[in-house]
Amino acid sequence: MSKQNWRFILTALLVVLAIVAFWNTFKLWTMSDADKTALQEKDPGALLQLQQKAIRLGLDLQGGIHVVLRVKLEELDEASRDEAVDRAIQIIRNRIDGLGVAEPVIVKQGNDRIVVDLPGYTDADRAEDLIGQTALLEFKLMATFDDANRILSRMDSVVYDYEKSLQEASGETAEAAAPAVDSAATPKETDLEMLAELMGDSAIDTAAMFDFDESELTVSDRPLTSRLEPILYSRETNTNWPGYAVNKKDRELIDKWLSLPQVKNLIPIDIQFAWSTRPEIRDQREMYYLYILKRKVEFVGKFLESIALSQGEYGGYAVNFKVSGDGLARFAQLTGANVNKPLAIVIDDKVESAPFVNSKIRGSGKITMGSSASVQDARNMEIVLKAGALPAPVEIIEKNVVGATLGADSIRKGFYASLIGLALVLLYVGFYYRVSGVIADLGLLFNLFFLLAVMAGLGATLTMPGIAGIILTIGISVDSNILIFERIREELRTGKTVRASIDAGYSRAFVAIFDSHVTTMITAGALFLLGSGPIKGFAVTLFWGVTISLYTAYIITKQIFDIRKAYRTLSI
């Protein structure tokens, strides 16, 4: 196979790969806001995947919060310091998932720092409270399914009445329309707390508190339970447990209902509702899990040690751990009394997982992940257990609320200005070098397309410095073609044929172009290694832009010029 055919096949292959890599970005960028809203309603998981696979916009293009944290490694022993920052990153990521930030950037900086960028989020106080807390790992038992059903059925009635009253109270505010709480008919939480303190948790009879006839509501009349899909079932005991999958779009509404005073008063003092730490994709939908737990803390994470990821017995993953010190007897008693029951692993009042207890655990145990769990799921479990066992305290050393410095209107104007500038460059090169200039323009467009595809493939974030790197790449790419064309012109003036002039032009310009590209790549590499944040973004786009420029100038345009060798004259 000739050299020219190899170039054509290689370029065609790269174009296909670039289209695949850039496709999600193209779909997302060409979607209208209405289409995005419709997709969010129909299939939130698909929209999330689309956003994750597309080029993201940085803080400077859409605003948000920039936080720098320091992990206090000096408060840990030597052996624990290596993994402390990674554990802190995992904890912070779990917490930020709860904020609903679509594309947070959480990266390690140096040995003990973590940089958190929350694009599009502006509540700095809430972000600080959420990020800066010390992790608390607890183990809790689940409520019984019957108790949970009684509570949920009563909640359904209250929520149904609340929503109905809102609809009937047209013109009034939601608060004004909400039915008044009959504080005399329902026990106050503070009263129940006092009762629990006086009588102990075991004295609270949940079933007795809700000894009522379940209403005969239709499915449409059950606003709460109609949104819950049971997920916890024990085959050994043929028993359901109160763990439910909830569509992500319904979470905010359910949170609103759970916060209603008349609904909160229906929850016994020894029961709590807790969300999962993060959403998961289930049946092509993005779902959160809602658990109904007993509030009593049965065990705390500080007694866990030697936590390690391992291979499960049936090909899946597992997390091994040992229980130390005073926790040995307590954990053995806890697991022995609750075999075939789920034990919720709770961190910061969110449930990481609720695995079933298979047997009494005396000294060491194993959490076996489900067959569908990935190694990342198992790794998350390992890190969460370690975080609870060995807390890595963090402090916020820098916090900035970044405005969308460019703003939507400025971004739009900048986009059109870039298009106009690019069009002027293409026209000038085409006018000055005629047909050869058009070939150079094709190489330039290939350069931009490949660069955006690489950024999409790398999951890069586009920032203003990144855009500056792209613009600089355009200039370098044009310079390369000018050097080649001027060499070809010189060769033509000496009387050489078109074929000889093209070969000589490319050959003699190569050294100068290669040197300039390599020195620029070295500079970009140094900026990437030594810089941070936006400087790294600039370095990434510059490095890949220059690398691709070398390919487009010497492979793609050369391939087109090789075809033109058959001509007796050259338009240049």
Side-chain angles (χ1 to χ4, degrees):
M1 186 176 291
S2 68
K3 186 185 294 184
Q4 190 169 347
N5 287 339
W6 272 113
R7 289 174 180 167
F8 177 79
I9 292 173
L10 179 61
T11 301
L13 182 62
L14 291 175
V15 168
V16 172
L17 291 175
I19 290 174
V20 172
F22 189 67
W23 178 245
N24 289 297
T25 302
F26 175 78
K27 280 181 66 178
L28 187 65
W29 286 5
T30 54
M31 284 178 74
S32 65
D33 292 339
D35 290 338
K36 290 178 184 176
T37 303
L39 183 59
Q40 173 71 27
E41 293 289 330
K42 181 182 178 182
D43 189 354
L47 181 61
L48 179 67
Q49 288 185 346
L50 196 62
Q51 290 171 334
Q52 290 176 339
K53 293 177 179 176
I55 297 175
R56 296 167 292 187
L57 298 181
L59 279 181
D60 53 354
L61 294 182
Q62 61 171 324
I65 295 176
H66 173 78
V67 179
V68 180
L69 306 109
R70 188 180 77 84
V71 181
K72 298 179 180 177
L73 297 178
E74 64 276 9
E75 297 187 14
L76 301 176
D77 58 63
E78 192 69 30
S80 305
R81 292 180 181 178
D82 291 342
E83 294 183 339
V85 179
D86 291 334
R87 294 177 206 165
I89 288 175
Q90 181 60 36
I91 294 168
I92 292 168
R93 190 180 301 281
N94 288 341
R95 292 172 175 175
I96 288 174
D97 284 342
L99 289 175
V101 179
E103 296 295 338
V105 177
I106 307 168
V107 295
K108 183 178 179 180
Q109 185 183 69
N111 295 326
D112 62 350
R113 296 192 178 190
I114 300 170
V115 176
V116 180
D117 286 344
L118 306 177
Y121 194 78
T122 56
D123 190 344
D125 292 336
R126 188 183 175 199
E128 182 177 358
D129 290 343
L130 199 66
I131 293 172
Q133 293 174 357
T134 302
L136 180 61
L137 179 66
E138 302 167 329
F139 290 77
K140 296 183 177 181
L141 295 172
M142 306 283 294
T144 66
F145 196 68
D146 290 340
D147 285 345
N149 268 348
R150 277 192 288 271
I151 298 170
L152 291 172
S153 295
R154 189 63 180 270
M155 284 181 173
D156 259 333
S157 300
V158 174
V159 172
Y160 177 81
D161 290 342
Y162 170 75
E163 291 294 331
K164 190 177 179 181
S165 67
L166 282 183
Q167 293 175 2
E168 292 173 352
S170 58
E172 299 180 18
T173 64
E175 289 74 17
V181 180
D182 187 356
S183 57
T186 53
K188 287 184 177 179
E189 187 169 302
T190 52
D191 296 337
L192 289 171
E193 288 174 352
M194 294 174 62
L195 183 63
E197 289 178 4
L198 290 172
M199 303 180 69
D201 289 341
S202 60
I204 302 294
D205 186 350
T206 303
M209 288 180 61
F210 294 98
D211 186 14
F212 59 88
D213 295 330
E214 293 185 10
S215 59
E216 297 179 355
L217 296 175
T218 63
V219 172
S220 60
D221 293 335
R222 296 178 179 273
L224 178 59
T225 53
S226 63
R227 289 173 166 80
L228 307 180
E229 300 175 18
I231 55 170
L232 284 182
Y233 172 74
S234 171
R235 292 181 181 176
E236 284 73 14
T237 59
N238 191 28
T239 308
N240 285 302
W241 293 90
Y244 307 93
V246 176
N247 205 315
K248 183 181 178 182
K249 67 182 178 61
D250 291 330
R251 176 175 171 169
E252 185 176 350
L253 180 61
I254 291 179
D255 271 336
K256 171 190 162 188
W257 289 339
L258 292 177
S259 66
L260 294 173
Q262 57 268 44
V263 172
K264 290 171 70 175
N265 283 338
L266 295 175
I267 303 175
I269 187 61
D270 62 336
I271 298 293
Q272 75 173 108
F273 285 61
W275 291 102
S276 58
T277 53
R278 56 183 171 277
E280 294 184 12
I281 302 300
R282 178 185 172 91
D283 298 332
Q284 305 298 318
R285 297 171 297 166
E286 191 176 16
M287 311 288 281
Y288 273 95
Y289 296 153
L290 180 64
Y291 299 88
I292 302 180
L293 313 174
K294 292 186 177 179
R295 191 176 292 276
K296 181 181 178 182
V297 178
E298 300 289 344
F299 196 74
V300 292
K302 67 178 183 179
F303 296 114
L304 299 183
E305 63 179 19
S306 302
I307 300 158
L309 191 65
S310 68
Q311 199 73 30
E313 297 177 2
Y314 302 103
Y317 298 97
V319 180
N320 297 324
F321 62 90
K322 289 184 179 179
V323 185
S324 64
D326 298 335
L328 274 171
R330 175 63 192 142
F331 202 64
Q333 182 185 6
L334 173 64
T335 53
N338 293 284
V339 174
N340 292 326
K341 296 180 182 178
L343 183 62
I345 301 171
V346 184
I347 185 163
D348 295 338
D349 280 334
K350 291 183 180 177
V351 178
E352 172 65 24
S353 178
F356 282 88
V357 178
N358 294 324
S359 61
K360 184 176 182 179
I361 300 174
R362 290 183 171 81
S364 60
K366 176 189 293 184
I367 298 174
T368 303
M369 309 296 290
S371 57
S372 61
S374 65
V375 64
Q376 188 57 46
D377 294 330
R379 174 67 177 157
N380 287 342
M381 175 68 75
E382 178 195 15
I383 290 175
V384 165
L385 292 179
K386 285 182 174 179
L390 293 171
V394 297
E395 63 174 340
I396 296 177
I397 59 175
E398 181 183 342
K399 180 186 72 177
N400 295 313
V401 178
V402 182
T405 52
L406 296 180
D409 186 55
S410 297
I411 291 174
R412 189 164 46 252
K413 288 180 180 177
F415 176 73
Y416 289 125
S418 300
L419 279 185
I420 293 171
L422 177 62
L424 289 175
V425 170
L426 295 177
L427 286 173
Y428 175 77
V429 174
F431 173 77
Y432 193 74
Y433 291 105
R434 292 174 283 186
V435 175
S436 298
V438 174
I439 296 172
D441 289 344
L442 283 174
L444 185 59
L445 293 176
F446 270 109
N447 193 348
L448 286 175
F449 176 57
F450 284 152
L451 178 56
L452 290 175
V454 167
M455 292 182 66
L458 294 175
T461 300
L462 186 62
T463 61
M464 272 308 295
I467 292 174
I470 294 174
I471 293 171
L472 187 55
T473 296
I474 294 174
I476 293 172
S477 183
V478 171
D479 281 346
S480 301
N481 286 288
I482 290 175
L483 275 174
I484 294 170
F485 292 168
E486 290 302 323
R487 284 289 186 180
I488 293 175
R489 277 182 169 179
E490 289 176 3
E491 299 299 328
L492 287 173
R493 289 191 198 103
T494 62
K496 288 184 178 178
T497 63
V498 170
R499 178 183 296 273
S501 298
I502 290 174
D503 288 339
Y506 271 91
S507 175
R508 294 183 178 181
F510 178 76
V511 175
I513 293 174
F514 184 79
D515 286 349
S516 66
H517 279 61
V518 169
T519 52
T520 305
M521 282 190 275
I522 292 173
T523 304
L527 288 174
F528 183 82
L529 292 175
L530 302 176
S532 63
I535 296 176
K536 281 196 172 185
F538 173 78
V540 168
T541 52
L542 182 61
F543 178 85
W544 284 108
V546 170
T547 305
I548 295 168
S549 169
L550 202 57
Y551 178 83
T552 55
Y554 265 90
I555 300 297
I556 294 181
T557 61
K558 179 70 164 56
Q559 187 175 357
I560 300 173
F561 271 106
D562 283 343
I563 298 173
R564 299 192 63 80
K565 285 179 180 177
Y567 290 73
R568 299 187 64 180
T569 59
L570 183 63
S571 175
I572 189 169

